[in-house]
Amino acid sequence: MSASDVTTQLLRTRVAPALRELGLRGSGQHFRLVDDGGHHALLSVVRSQAMVPGESVFTVEVAFHEGGQAWQAARAAAAWLPERPTASRLVVPSAWHERLGFLAEPPHDHWFLVQGPDDADPVADELITLVRDVALPQLTARVRGEVPPPVPVLPRDPGPDGAERPRVACPSAYCTLNVYAARHGW
């Protein structure tokens, strides 16, 4: 089974059912927190287009669009926007948007790395835990009109190539930050 197939299967058989148990609706790669107020509290799985053979890489984007009116106004200004937003769509001024890894400690651009079937369960467990512990509190507070938990901030340093990188090592064995840093000497 290819790494991409493993990712598809873990999202379908482990992650989607768990997200539904947490109160989200959706399937495939797009989920939303149910809200009677017309808000869009969203999670989207985004797969990397820069693939290395034998690897599947993905992240989760989290977004909140206030009520239907704000989204409709954004659509009026940009007719190409879909009827309903997803978290992976272009950010509009009325929206809050963040990648899942920047909501966690230590905050960083967390991309999950799947290399084979043995990675499925630990990656699924890690993803479900991060959604439950960091994404849902952010979305739930916004839906309720409450102040959301603070988003961690981490100083960044320029790497050897001049690009800024977080001064962290992710505790996850399935985060590309660690794997790619080792491969590229960051």
Side-chain angles (χ1 to χ4, degrees), residues 64-137:
F64 178 77
H65 300 266
E66 289 200 32
Q69 299 298 332
W71 182 251
Q72 293 309 321
R75 287 189 72 217
W80 56 269
L81 289 171
E83 185 175 332
R84 289 174 49 165
T86 65
S88 60
R89 291 286 178 180
L90 178 68
V91 178
V92 295
S94 64
W96 170 81
H97 177 272
E98 193 58 81
R99 285 207 177 131
L100 181 61
F102 287 108
L103 300 174
E105 290 285 354
H108 64 286
D109 198 9
H110 189 93
W111 287 77
F112 297 88
L113 174 65
V114 175
Q115 296 176 306
D118 291 345
D119 298 342
D121 285 337
V123 168
D125 291 343
E126 182 178 308
L127 173 55
I128 293 162
T129 299
L130 283 170
V131 168
R132 182 192 66 223
D133 294 351
V134 299
L136 276 180

